[in-house]
Amino acid sequence: MINYFKDMGDAIINTNLKSLLENKSFMMILLGQGISNIGDAFQFIASTTMLVKVTGSGLSAIIGIILSQLPSLLLSPFAGYLGDRFKAKYVCVIMDIVRGGIALLFIGHSSSEKLYLLLFLLSMLDIVYNPAKRKLIICVVKERELLFTNSLMMGVSGIAFLIGPILAGFAVVNLGADIAFYVNCFSYVLSAALILIVKSKNIHDYTGRVKSNKFGGVLSDIKGGIKYFFSVPEIKNLIILSTVICSTGASINIAFFPFVFDTLKITEKQWGLMISVFNGTNFLAMFLAFVLNKKINKRMDVYIIISVITISWIWFFYSITKNLNFILALQFFEGTILAFCSILIGTKLQSSINKNYMARVMSIGDVINNAGRIMGVFLAYLLLGSFAESSVFLLNSILLFSFVFYKVLKY
């Protein structure tokens, strides 16, 4: 009997994964994401190294990058409306084409003001793009395939960010920063072409789709999404946990930039290697989710808690070392666990949301998560004015661990 259930479980895994890999629409989305992620890696390496040279400080560069994105958060509620009102496929295609044009505008601009402005424009487009893309994915896959879907998306992203930053580091050093923006533009255009191949007949038109083009209808729809969000406790709890991770993670990232650029004095090639190590672990997280699939489905909450506690301890170890090799090892484990945790939270969240409200709820989550990031940036900035980067690592490690410990005791 035990062997029977084991064989049945293996059959379900193989069937779900096989059907997902045979889904041409999903595969086009998956391939498009991988290509655009490579372009994003080139753009990130080029823009950050340019800003470090212009501002003369790793701290100034990363704070400027993050602050340049904040005003665009006002678009999040409308981005959710667009994702639910119009066919997500065409929203994604238009945003990809426009992003490709913005990427070309980076060429020849070396002043910090112009760079921050272009990053702000890209951030605005990303905020419109992301809810639509997540809605598009939900519309072309089955609910039982969500864990594999999120795992594959994370794995492809990992491959892209494993290859992209290293190539970008060499390209920027040998060919100049402009080559990175040409690559970024091409990646967006190719992504748009692949999304166009997604067949509309696979995209379900849910009854909750908004049908009014009036501005009053837009506001009413946004309010409806907010009301639904607050009516489902499980969704609220998942978003709050995600926000705490985003807030503490943003604070860690703010401290990490001056830590590696100003304290460790790393080169562009070393920076590309570090980004590759951190983001490339997404691929390992994909396999981890595949291997633990059956256990995860039974006790997903437990795996999420264990993952978050592990992340808090990794951040603690950042606070007590300046050894580059050890830091690379920590990045490897941090990237793997963060990606694994993201897969679990994303899967549980998508399973909990009514598809009629998918884009709107995701956009609300973006607003709350980014508000948490602002708090994390502000906290890190205050601390770095008087203390070393290690204090930021230590404090956020304690905050994240304390939050999870409190949640465990509460429930």
Side-chain angles (χ1 to χ4, degrees):
M1 180 63 69
I2 294 176
N3 290 332
Y4 169 78
F5 283 111
K6 181 179 182 298
D7 293 339
M8 185 174 67
D10 292 338
I12 291 173
I13 292 175
N14 293 334
T15 300
N16 289 339
L17 183 56
K18 182 180 179 181
S19 65
L20 190 61
L21 294 176
E22 292 175 349
N23 185 332
K24 293 181 180 179
S25 291
F26 172 70
M27 294 307 293
M28 291 302 100
I29 297 171
L30 187 66
L31 181 58
Q33 174 178 292
I35 292 171
S36 64
N37 281 163
I38 291 176
D40 289 338
F42 270 75
Q43 185 268 128
F44 180 72
I45 294 297
S47 59
T48 52
T49 52
M50 286 170 66
L51 284 169
V52 168
K53 291 178 179 179
V54 171
T55 63
S57 168
L59 177 60
S60 298
I62 187 58
I63 288 180
I65 290 173
I66 293 176
L67 291 180
S68 69
Q69 300 173 1
L70 299 185
S72 61
L73 297 180
L74 298 174
L75 283 176
S76 288
F78 295 98
Y81 168 80
L82 290 173
D84 282 331
R85 169 63 180 86
F86 302 101
K87 283 191 175 181
K89 167 182 176 178
Y90 297 115
V91 175
C92 291
V93 168
I94 292 171
M95 291 302 103
D96 266 336
I97 293 173
V98 177
R99 289 195 298 178
I102 297 297
L104 290 179
L105 295 179
F106 278 89
I107 298 172
H109 291 136
S110 58
S111 70
S112 59
E113 293 82 5
K114 291 180 180 178
L115 290 173
Y116 288 139
L117 175 60
L118 293 173
L119 289 171
F120 165 66
L121 293 175
L122 279 180
S123 175
M124 289 179 61
L125 297 171
D126 286 343
I127 283 179
V128 176
Y129 179 85
N130 290 330
K133 186 189 76 172
R134 285 176 286 195
K135 176 68 175 284
L136 178 62
I137 293 169
I138 287 296
C139 291
V140 300
V141 303
K142 300 173 183 177
E143 185 172 340
R144 67 174 183 267
E145 299 169 345
L146 280 176
L147 181 62
F148 289 114
T149 298
N150 290 320
S151 299
L152 286 170
M153 297 293 285
M154 190 68 72
V156 167
S157 177
I159 294 174
F161 281 106
L162 178 64
I163 298 171
I166 294 178
L167 294 177
F170 283 102
V172 169
V173 170
N174 296 308
L175 302 174
D178 288 353
I179 187 64
F181 303 118
Y182 283 116
V183 171
N184 195 25
C185 173
F186 177 75
S187 72
Y188 285 140
V189 173
L190 189 52
S191 172
L194 290 169
I195 291 176
L196 275 175
I197 300 174
V198 174
K199 295 183 179 180
S200 298
K201 67 180 182 181
N202 291 333
I203 304 175
H204 311 303
D205 187 12
Y206 298 103
T207 57
R209 177 179 167 186
V210 182
K211 292 180 171 52
S212 173
N213 286 316
K214 296 180 181 180
F215 188 68
V218 176
L219 294 179
S220 176
D221 181 56
I222 292 173
K223 290 178 182 178
I226 294 173
K227 183 178 180 180
Y228 171 77
F229 171 81
F230 283 106
S231 69
V232 186
E234 185 175 21
I235 295 175
K236 287 193 299 181
N237 290 332
L238 287 169
I239 293 296
I240 289 172
L241 174 60
S242 177
T243 300
V244 172
I245 296 173
C246 287
S247 176
T248 51
S251 192
I252 292 290
N253 289 339
I254 288 293
F256 200 75
F257 266 69
F259 180 62
V260 297
F261 280 112
D262 303 336
T263 302
L264 299 182
K265 306 292 185 182
I266 65 169
T267 65
E268 287 92 343
K269 291 182 180 180
Q270 289 174 325
W271 176 234
L273 175 62
M274 295 183 82
I275 295 297
S276 292
V277 168
F278 183 78
N279 292 297
T281 52
N282 292 353
F283 192 66
L284 179 59
M286 177 190 73
F287 283 107
L288 188 61
F290 280 4
V291 171
L292 299 175
N293 172 69
K294 289 183 287 185
K295 294 181 179 179
I296 290 171
N297 286 328
K298 295 177 181 177
R299 302 296 301 274
M300 190 171 292
D301 290 336
V302 174
Y303 278 89
I304 290 174
I305 290 170
I306 293 173
S307 298
V308 176
I309 290 175
T310 303
I311 292 167
S312 70
W313 275 101
I314 292 172
W315 290 349
F316 167 75
F317 286 114
Y318 278 136
S319 70
I320 60 175
T321 184
K322 291 183 180 179
N323 183 286
L324 183 58
N325 291 329
F326 188 44
I327 291 169
L328 286 171
L330 290 174
Q331 277 197 300
F332 175 81
F333 288 111
E334 181 191 5
T336 302
I337 303 302
L338 270 174
F340 180 68
C341 188
S342 178
I343 290 172
L344 300 187
I345 293 176
T347 300
K348 193 170 182 63
L349 189 60
Q350 289 167 334
S351 300
S352 304
I353 300 173
N354 185 313
K355 293 180 177 64
N356 299 329
Y357 296 91
M358 183 63 66
R360 282 167 283 175
V361 171
M362 288 299 188
S363 67
I364 292 170
D366 288 341
V367 172
I368 298 174
N369 286 339
N370 284 306
R373 288 189 180 94
I374 296 172
M375 295 175 61
V377 170
F378 183 69
L379 174 63
Y381 183 76
L382 289 178
L383 289 174
L384 291 172
S386 304
F387 302 97
E389 296 92 355
S390 58
S391 65
V392 180
F393 300 147
L394 179 60
L395 178 60
N396 284 282
S397 170
I398 294 172
L399 289 174
L400 185 59
F401 181 86
S402 300
F403 176 80
V404 178
F405 188 70
Y406 165 75
K407 284 294 183 181
V408 170
L409 289 180
K410 185 177 179 180
Y411 294 102

